[in-house]
Amino acid sequence: MNNNDVNTQRFNYVGERFADLQLLRYRLNGFEQLSLSQKVLVYYLSKATLYGRDITFDQFGRYNLRIRKMLEAVYTDLTVERDTPDFQAMEVYLKRVWFSSGIYHHYGCEKFVPGFSRDYLRRVVGRVDPCRLPLRSGETVQQLCDELFPVIFDPDVLPKRVNQADGEDLVATSACNFYQGVTQQEAEAYYGRQKEEAAGDKTPVSYGLNSTLVKRDGVVGEEVWSANGRYANAIRHIVYWLDKALTVAENERQRQVISLLIDFYKTGDLRVFNDYCIAWVGEHEGRIDFVNGFIEVYGDPLGLKGSWEGIVEYKDLEATRRTQTISRNAQWFEDHSPVDPRFRKRQVKGVTANAICAAMLGGDEYPATAIGINLPNADWIRAEYGSKSITISNITDAYNKAAHGSGFKEEFVVDEATLSMIERYGDLCDELHTDLHECLGHGSGQLLPGTDPDALKAYGNTIEEARADLFGLYYIADQKLVELGLLPDREAYKSHYYTYIMNGLMTQLIRIQPGAQIEEAHMRNRALIAHWCQEQGDVVRIEQREGKSYVRITDYEALRQLFARLLAEIQRIKSEGDYEAARQLVEGYAVRVDATLHAEVLERYRRLNLAPYKGFINPMMVPVVDANGDICDVQLNYSESYTQQMLRYSSEYATLI
C-alpha cells in the first residue's frame, strides 16, 4: 500500500486488542507533500529512532531483554499446540512485554502476572533450538530458566519497576535498571557531592541523566551511556543514521543540532548535551524535527536518569497556527498568572510551539506515546534560551476517532446537559489544554536563586505536571482565549473542567488495580488537583443517583479560583524547593484510593467492554531506490500487524545481548 492507496481508502485507525490494551494506527497526513529531501530526512531519523529500542528494554529492567528474546524464540519456533490455553496466555504475556518494553506495566509499573505455568514454559523452552535462545557463553538452557523464571513467576522478586511508596528505599525497591548495588541514600549522596563541587555553576549539567550508577568493590561510580560505554552497540547504530541525516538536513542550524547530538552520543559528555539542547531549542526554520536520546526521568524513582526515547515529526501547518498564537502571547500569560510575582519570569524567552504530525515513535514513546512534549527539561536553559513545545495532532486525532461512540461519557457524565456541552466543546478544549500545558505551563515561572532543581526529589515529577496542568486549567477559562479566536465563547471551558475533575476523582481509577495506590506521576497530579478542589467546600462534589456515583460541579467560576490558589501554592513549592510541602500535598491528596468508589468505577467500566490503555502501530517506511542506488521516494505502508511489527523490530533492530 503506497500513499495514493491510503488516500483513496478509508483509513482504519483501530487495530488489535488484548489484555487492557487497544492498538491504534496513526496516519501521516500530508507526508506525500513533503519534498524528496524532507522524506529522506524523516526516513533516516526514523531509523535512528528505531535503533534505540533495546536500550529502553534494558533500562526498564535488567532481565527484560533476555525474557523477551526467550519468549520470542518459543513463539516463533513452536509450530504445534498453538491453540492451547497455555500458549494463548503466553502470547498475550509476550505482547504485553513488547508494549511495555519489559515485564512491568507501562503505566502502573507492577509486574505482569503470567497466565501460564512454570512447567509449561520450561517444557516449551526445552523444545526450542538452543541456538535461538539468549544463552550466554557456556550457559545451559536449565541455567537460563533458573535465572529468569523467578523474575517472571515469583511475585516477591522485583515486583515493581518504579516504587514511589513514602518511607521506603526507592532505589532498592525499584526494578528499573538505573542503579546496581546502591541504596537511595548512596545515590542521593553521590549526586549531592557532585552538585556541591559545582556550587555556583550557572549552567549546570543534568547530573546522572545518561549513566547507570553502580557499586563495585565498595566504590560507587557511573557507567556512562555512550558509543564507547554502556549501550555502545545500540548508540553506534543510532549515530550511523544520524550521520546519514546530516547529508539531507534542511538548514545549517539543523545540521548543527544533529552534529551536536552525535558528539554527545560519542562522548557521553553532559556539557555537550547542554549545547545540543540550546541549539535544538533555537532551530525553528525546518519543517522536520525530532527528539532522540535520554530525556524524561519518570522511569527513575529519584527523577534523575533519562529513559531513552525517540520521535520523528513534521509540522502540521494548519494546526500550528493555534499553537503559534499561544506562544506569541506567552509574555501576557506569564504577566497575568495568579502566582506570586517573585516566581514569574520577567522576560519570557524563546517559547516556540508547533502542532506536529508524528512520523515515527520509538523507545519510551512507543507504542504508548505522549500527546504533547515540552523540552528541554533543564530549568536554566528554559530561562535563558526558551523551550520548544509540540502537540501531536495525528495522535490526538487517532485517539478522538477511536473514542467516539464508545459509551464511556454516557456512562460517567452526570446529566444530558453536561454531556451535550462535552460533545460540543470537548475535543477542542482537550487539545487547547494540552497546548497550554506544553507550550506555556512547563515553561512558566522561575526558581528562586540558589534553589536546587532536584530539591523536590521523588515528588518533583508530580508537582511539575500539576503546575503545568493548573496553568492550562486557569487560562482555558480566560476571556483572552476567546479574544485570540482559540475558543468560540466563555462557556466552552466548562467542558474541560468537568472532564478533568471527573477523571481525577473517578474515571482514571480504571487504570489502577484493586487494592493498589496511585503511583504514576501524571495520575497523581490529576488526583491531587481534583481531590484538593473537592476538599475546599461545595464547588466539587460526588453525588449518588440510582446507585451510581457522579461528579457535580456547582460553580465553574469558583472552581477557576481554586485552580488559581493551588497553582500559586504549587509554583511557590517549586520555586522555593519546599520538599516537605510537596510531600504533604502529594501524600495527602494524590496517592490513596477510595476502595468502594474504585470497585464501582471498575465494574461500570467493565460493562462497557473497553480497553483503558491505547498504543500505536508505526507505519512502515519503504525507500524506493533508482537505478543509481539513490532514494527517489519514500512510501508508507500501514498494513503491518502489531505482532509482525514487534517481531520485525526484534530482528532488524536487535543491538544488545
Side-chain angles (χ1 to χ4, degrees):
M1 182 185 296
N2 60 30
N3 291 329
N4 293 329
D5 294 328
V6 173
N7 289 331
T8 57
Q9 297 181 14
R10 183 175 181 274
F11 188 82
N12 185 13
Y13 285 91
V14 180
E16 184 178 352
R17 177 179 170 181
F18 55 89
D20 56 357
L21 302 165
Q22 175 74 64
L23 272 299
L24 305 175
R25 300 181 189 277
Y26 61 98
R27 180 171 176 170
L28 274 60
N29 302 307
F31 181 83
E32 66 280 359
Q33 297 168 6
L34 298 178
S35 69
L36 174 60
S37 180
Q38 288 172 326
K39 289 180 182 179
V40 174
L41 177 59
V42 168
Y43 172 70
Y44 289 156
L45 291 172
S46 295
K47 296 289 280 186
T49 292
L50 295 176
Y51 265 111
R53 180 174 183 249
D54 277 2
I55 297 176
T56 310
F57 269 88
D58 189 73
Q59 289 179 320
F60 286 4
R62 63 184 301 181
Y63 300 99
N64 283 338
L65 279 171
R66 300 237 296 162
I67 291 173
R68 188 195 82 196
K69 291 171 183 286
M70 177 183 69
L71 294 175
E72 287 172 343
V74 172
Y75 182 79
T76 55
D77 275 21
L78 198 64
T79 57
V80 296
E81 302 179 11
R82 296 178 73 89
D83 58 349
T84 64
D86 277 324
F87 180 87
Q88 291 169 355
M90 187 199 69
E91 181 178 29
V92 169
Y93 184 88
L94 175 56
K95 289 178 179 180
R96 299 186 78 183
V97 169
W98 285 331
F99 192 96
S100 297
S101 297
I103 65 173
Y104 301 93
H105 197 282
H106 75 288
Y107 214 78
C109 292
E110 67 273 6
K111 188 163 70 174
F112 298 137
V113 177
F116 51 93
S117 68
R118 288 176 185 249
D119 290 342
Y120 170 77
L121 186 58
R122 191 176 296 274
R123 185 172 70 253
V124 292
V125 168
R127 291 164 56 181
V128 173
D129 182 349
C131 294
R132 298 261 295 134
L133 294 170
L135 298 175
R136 300 189 180 102
S137 178
E139 185 179 34
T140 66
V141 174
Q142 181 64 47
Q143 289 170 329
L144 174 72
C145 294
D146 289 346
E147 180 180 26
L148 299 185
F149 279 30
V151 182
I152 296 172
F153 292 101
D154 191 333
D156 297 322
V157 174
L158 303 174
K160 294 275 296 193
R161 177 167 67 89
V162 182
N163 180 30
Q164 294 285 349
D166 188 33
E168 296 185 10
D169 185 321
L170 303 185
V171 168
T173 57
S174 294
C176 56
N177 197 20
F178 296 123
Y179 305 93
Q180 294 178 7
V182 299
T183 65
Q184 179 178 349
Q185 183 178 15
E186 289 171 326
E188 290 177 345
Y190 181 87
Y191 291 112
R193 286 192 297 272
Q194 289 191 351
K195 292 177 182 179
E196 288 177 5
E197 292 170 0
D201 186 354
K202 302 298 184 183
T203 60
V205 300
S206 299
Y207 296 99
L209 183 70
N210 66 327
S211 66
T212 305
L213 192 66
V214 302
K215 185 177 181 181
R216 291 198 173 93
D217 299 323
V219 179
V220 177
E222 291 181 302
E223 290 185 356
V224 175
W225 308 329
S226 73
N228 296 300
R230 195 178 179 105
Y231 302 138
N233 192 44
I235 291 172
R236 288 169 187 162
H237 280 82
I238 295 169
V239 167
Y240 172 85
W241 288 101
L242 291 175
D243 271 325
K244 301 276 281 186
L246 274 177
T247 65
V248 286
E250 295 176 276
N251 56 63
E252 186 55 39
R253 189 60 180 265
Q254 191 179 73
R255 191 172 292 108
Q256 180 191 20
V257 169
I258 298 171
S259 294
L260 283 168
L261 180 57
I262 291 171
D263 289 345
F264 167 65
Y265 273 137
K266 288 181 176 179
T267 65
D269 186 342
L270 286 168
R271 291 284 175 192
V272 178
F273 183 71
N274 281 350
D275 294 339
Y276 157 73
C277 290
I278 292 167
W280 177 82
V281 83
E283 199 289 295
H284 310 302
E285 296 179 7
R287 187 173 180 185
I288 313 303
D289 206 350
F290 68 100
V291 174
N292 186 299
F294 308 108
I295 308 296
E296 300 294 356
V297 296
Y298 300 104
D300 174 12
L302 302 186
L304 298 173
K305 307 293 181 182
S307 301
W308 192 92
E309 67 179 59
I311 180 171
V312 185
E313 66 203 51
Y314 55 94
K315 290 177 187 174
D316 181 334
L317 299 180
E318 180 63 32
T320 289
R321 293 190 179 94
R322 180 186 71 236
T323 57
Q324 290 182 343
T325 297
I326 292 172
S327 62
R328 281 196 301 269
N329 289 274
Q331 190 66 59
W332 184 93
F333 287 103
E334 184 76 4
D335 292 344
H336 292 81
S337 171
V339 307
D340 189 313
R342 293 181 302 144
F343 308 141
R344 297 180 195 154
K345 284 188 172 78
R346 293 183 181 179
Q347 182 180 3
V348 177
K349 298 180 181 179
V351 174
T352 303
N354 294 305
I356 61 95
C357 282
M360 191 63 66
L361 307 172
D364 201 16
E365 290 291 341
Y366 168 82
T369 186
I371 58 174
I373 297 172
N374 179 274
L375 292 172
N377 287 325
D379 285 290
W380 73 267
I381 296 179
R382 289 173 179 275
E384 188 67 25
Y385 298 95
S387 63
K388 267 190 193 177
S389 300
I390 62 169
T391 53
I392 311 177
S393 60
N394 57 340
I395 294 295
T396 302
D397 184 52
Y399 276 130
N400 290 341
K401 284 182 167 58
H404 284 298
S406 68
F408 176 81
K409 295 172 185 174
E410 289 80 358
E411 173 60 35
F412 287 102
V413 173
V414 65
D415 54 37
E416 286 296 326
T418 306
L419 181 62
S420 177
M421 175 179 67
I422 293 168
E423 288 296 328
R424 181 179 180 186
Y425 298 117
D427 287 353
L428 171 62
C429 286
D430 286 351
E431 292 176 2
L432 186 55
H433 183 255
T434 299
D435 292 341
L436 291 167
H437 173 112
E438 299 293 350
C439 302
L440 301 181
H442 280 307
S444 67
Q446 64 179 354
L447 302 181
L448 290 185
T451 298
D452 182 354
D454 300 318
L456 304 183
K457 301 180 181 179
Y459 300 108
N461 288 333
T462 296
I463 292 297
E464 175 57 22
E465 291 303 324
R467 192 178 71 89
D469 259 3
L470 285 163
F471 195 97
L473 289 166
Y474 177 74
Y475 276 117
I476 201 171
D478 202 285
Q479 175 65 25
K480 183 72 170 181
L481 298 189
V482 180
E483 295 172 4
L484 292 173
L486 299 173
L487 284 179
D489 54 53
R490 278 297 309 280
E491 295 296 305
Y493 80 93
K494 296 178 181 178
S495 69
H496 192 72
Y497 273 24
Y498 188 87
T499 54
Y500 189 95
I501 293 295
M502 180 180 73
N503 189 29
L505 291 179
M506 288 181 56
T507 53
Q508 73 170 0
L509 296 178
I510 63 176
R511 297 182 167 192
I512 302 292
Q513 295 296 318
Q517 294 184 331
I518 303 174
E519 296 200 41
E520 199 277 333
H522 297 79
M523 292 183 70
R524 282 187 166 190
N525 140 49
R526 292 187 287 266
L528 187 162
I529 293 170
H531 285 107
W532 185 91
C533 290
Q534 183 188 20
E535 192 179 87
Q536 308 306 309
D538 197 42
V539 175
V540 172
R541 64 172 182 247
I542 293 181
E543 61 183 41
Q544 303 295 317
R545 191 172 70 246
E546 298 178 355
K548 293 182 179 181
S549 302
Y550 296 92
V551 167
R552 174 76 69 183
I553 297 175
T554 62
D555 188 332
Y556 284 89
E557 287 295 335
L559 181 57
R560 188 190 185 209
Q561 295 312 309
L562 292 180
F563 290 149
R565 281 174 51 196
L566 186 56
L567 173 58
E569 172 60 5
I570 282 184
Q571 182 63 64
R572 182 199 68 78
I573 289 171
K574 173 153 181 135
S575 294
E576 296 180 348
D578 190 342
Y579 172 83
E580 184 56 31
R583 190 188 72 80
Q584 290 180 13
L585 267 183
V586 174
E587 296 296 337
Y589 296 101
V591 177
R592 291 186 291 275
V593 174
D594 181 311
T596 302
L597 179 62
H598 189 196
E600 176 198 328
V601 170
L602 289 176
E603 177 58 24
R604 290 165 68 181
Y605 189 79
R606 183 189 64 79
R607 293 172 185 168
L608 296 174
N609 192 32
L610 300 174
Y613 300 99
K614 307 294 190 293
F616 292 89
I617 302 170
N618 281 326
M620 291 180 66
M621 291 188 180
V622 183
V624 179
V625 180
D626 63 21
N628 297 319
D630 298 321
I631 297 177
C632 60
D633 195 11
V634 177
Q635 295 187 344
L636 303 177
N637 187 318
Y638 297 94
S639 65
E640 193 170 36
S641 73
Y642 174 71
T643 297
Q644 288 171 337
Q645 184 158 104
M646 290 298 181
L647 288 174
R648 179 170 66 86
Y649 284 4
S650 292
S651 174
E652 290 185 18
Y653 302 104
T655 55
L656 303 179
I657 297 185

